Amino acid sequence: MRVALVILHADPRRGGAERYTCDLAAALLQRGHQVSLLAGSFHDAPVGTDTVELPLRGWTRRGRYLAFLDALDHHLERHAYDIVHAMLPVRRCHLYHPHAGIAAAALAGGHEKHGWLARAAARLANRLNARRRAFAAVERALLADPHGPCVLCLSQYVARSARQYHALQPHRIAILYNGVDIRRFDPHRDPAGGRELRRRLGIAPERTVALFLAQDFQRKGLEFAIRALSRLKRHELILLVVGRPDPTAYRRLASRLGLETQVIFAGPAGDPYPCYSAADLFVLPTWHDPCSLVVLEALAMGLPVISTRHNGACELMREGEHGFVLESADDVAGLAERISLLMDPRERARMSRSCLGLRGSLSHEAHVDALEDIYRREAG
């Protein structure tokens, strides 16, 4: 099939949708499809893809986005594809795949903030964000068309949002969870990497490590993970924090709570594998996550997970078997209680075996199989 993948930046260094799009292009090429990447910028595009640069001209992010849409429309008028698969709101496509969730929900949002005042401020900021308003307007026009695209939802959590904000017929919604490279994220591939990371960070082998890995510390609930650690008063427990954001405020919080030696800020990780390998469990008390890839990677590595019902990835977990799902990100007492249960090595080992049993269903191969079925259906 002739497949066009549409994204603003085809750059896996950005993570998230950008990383997914480049990985998908490589997987589709391996399966014999003709793949074009339609983007405003590129970095390390898979060999064999046709890269089509769509200019991002303008003084503002909204202006560059609208210029991108104009260039995309012009390109699609002159080139035919069996499938146009868009990772952001565009004016025409066969599949709309909103990795960050439904744009209309983001515009109305504030759900990812703690406290009514923060939520109100977030809603106001969203309404003042010109590009976010443009995303929502383009999405609204795209999905209002009765002959418009199928919406690829990363979880039932996203599908509920799609139904809430857009009157979509059932055939226009498909659930497609993220997939994991289970060859890369195999706990037996390089266990020495985790041991070396522990040694470098000064974490003794007998300590229990809870891993928190995120690129948005506030939305993903780092404050609550630190506060839960304070409640436990278990000195053998380490919270390993990995991510790019400035940790200064959270370092101060840990210090005020007397956790200077128990909360380790490791900074960003180019390769997250050693972090998973060094950990005993994974915590992500997130306010909003359509389908957290790091949770799926942690499960594939055999790590029991504690997250929230606001994380679509938790739909693939069974409570008490693969970890625990909290009702709210700010349930510090509940988070502390679940971490305490996973301090038992026998309980962790039992759940770890269950997590490893998910590997086949989490695989990127299974994900692409399901996506090809959707492509064939949409191409008619």
Side-chain angles (χ1 to χ4, degrees):
M1 300 179 75
R2 293 164 298 173
V3 179
L5 303 178
V6 183
I7 193 162
L8 279 175
H9 303 283
D11 182 352
R13 298 172 301 178
R14 290 172 173 258
E18 292 84 2
R19 175 178 153 196
Y20 168 85
T21 303
C22 293
D23 288 347
L24 177 60
L28 293 173
L29 285 168
Q30 288 179 351
R31 296 186 179 210
H33 299 286
Q34 300 176 41
V35 181
S36 296
L37 279 172
L38 279 50
S41 68
F42 300 89
H43 178 83
D44 285 344
V47 175
T49 54
D50 176 29
T51 57
V52 179
E53 185 173 357
L54 304 176
L56 295 170
R57 298 193 181 98
W59 293 102
T60 65
R61 297 176 72 194
R62 177 182 180 276
R64 291 190 289 274
Y65 168 58
L66 295 178
F68 175 85
L69 294 183
D70 290 341
L72 175 63
D73 289 345
H74 182 64
H75 177 82
L76 293 178
E77 287 169 2
R78 295 180 292 116
H79 298 83
Y81 297 98
D82 298 309
I83 290 291
V84 177
H85 180 168
M87 312 301 166
L88 73 164
V90 297
R91 294 173 183 142
R92 53 191 285 199
C93 61
H94 298 93
L95 295 173
Y96 171 47
H97 198 172
H99 287 256
I102 297 298
L107 188 65
H111 52 276
E112 70 275 15
K113 302 296 183 183
H114 176 48
W116 70 268
L117 185 59
R119 285 193 289 271
R123 292 189 188 102
L124 177 60
N126 288 342
R127 287 175 172 82
L128 295 176
N129 186 313
R131 190 174 78 155
R132 188 161 284 181
R133 292 202 314 272
F135 268 44
V138 172
E139 178 187 85
R140 186 165 51 249
L142 177 71
L143 299 185
D145 182 352
H147 303 293
C150 174
V151 182
L152 282 181
C153 297
L154 274 66
S155 59
Q156 293 289 353
Y157 174 62
V158 176
R160 288 192 293 272
S161 181
R163 287 190 288 267
Q164 178 183 352
Y165 289 95
H166 303 287
L168 297 174
Q169 295 297 315
H171 72 275
R172 291 186 59 193
I173 292 180
I175 308 298
L176 186 70
Y177 294 100
N178 281 326
V180 175
D181 183 345
I182 59 173
R183 288 182 293 274
R184 179 185 176 196
F185 293 102
D186 179 346
H188 304 296
R189 181 172 66 83
D190 182 21
R195 292 193 294 268
E196 170 58 23
L197 179 61
R198 277 184 173 242
R199 186 201 62 77
R200 182 163 57 82
L201 295 175
I203 303 173
E206 65 272 15
R207 306 293 286 272
T208 301
V209 174
L211 174 63
F212 177 99
L213 195 163
Q215 302 307 324
D216 183 340
F217 288 167
Q218 182 182 27
R219 179 163 60 89
K220 301 303 177 79
L222 177 55
E223 174 189 346
F224 309 122
I226 294 173
R227 293 190 181 279
L229 200 71
S230 176
R231 277 178 174 255
L232 285 169
K233 303 188 186 306
R234 298 285 294 268
H235 298 293
E236 71 273 28
L237 178 62
I238 295 291
L239 180 64
L240 175 58
V241 179
V242 178
R244 190 175 302 279
D246 180 357
T248 300
Y250 299 96
R251 199 186 299 275
R252 288 180 185 143
L253 173 63
S255 179
R256 287 200 306 272
L257 296 174
L259 299 171
E260 297 96 331
T261 62
Q262 286 185 257
V263 182
I264 296 177
F265 296 91
D271 178 7
Y273 180 93
C275 304
Y276 296 123
S277 183
D280 298 293
L281 62 138
F282 190 85
V283 294
L284 196 77
T286 180
W287 284 112
H288 170 68
D289 221 317
C291 185
S292 172
L293 184 58
V294 293
V295 162
L296 302 185
E297 290 171 350
L299 291 169
M301 289 287 289
L303 295 181
V305 168
I306 306 172
S307 191
T308 73
R309 67 179 180 86
H310 303 292
N311 186 346
C314 292
E315 295 167 17
L316 298 171
M317 296 168 50
R318 285 193 292 275
E319 177 77 8
E321 186 169 341
H322 306 111
F324 301 102
V325 182
L326 301 171
E327 281 297 305
S328 178
D330 59 355
D331 181 6
V332 173
L335 178 57
E337 179 186 351
R338 271 65 168 193
I339 294 174
S340 180
L341 291 172
L342 290 174
M343 294 293 290
D344 181 346
R346 292 170 299 180
E347 187 68 359
R348 285 203 310 275
R350 178 185 69 81
M351 288 197 188
S352 180
R353 289 191 294 271
S354 295
C355 293
L356 292 174
L358 290 173
R359 285 173 55 81
S361 60
L362 297 176
S363 75
H364 198 250
E365 287 75 14
H367 173 95
V368 179
D369 286 344
L371 182 58
E372 283 186 313
D373 288 342
I374 295 169
Y375 279 0
R376 285 188 284 267
R377 186 189 75 194
E378 294 302 313

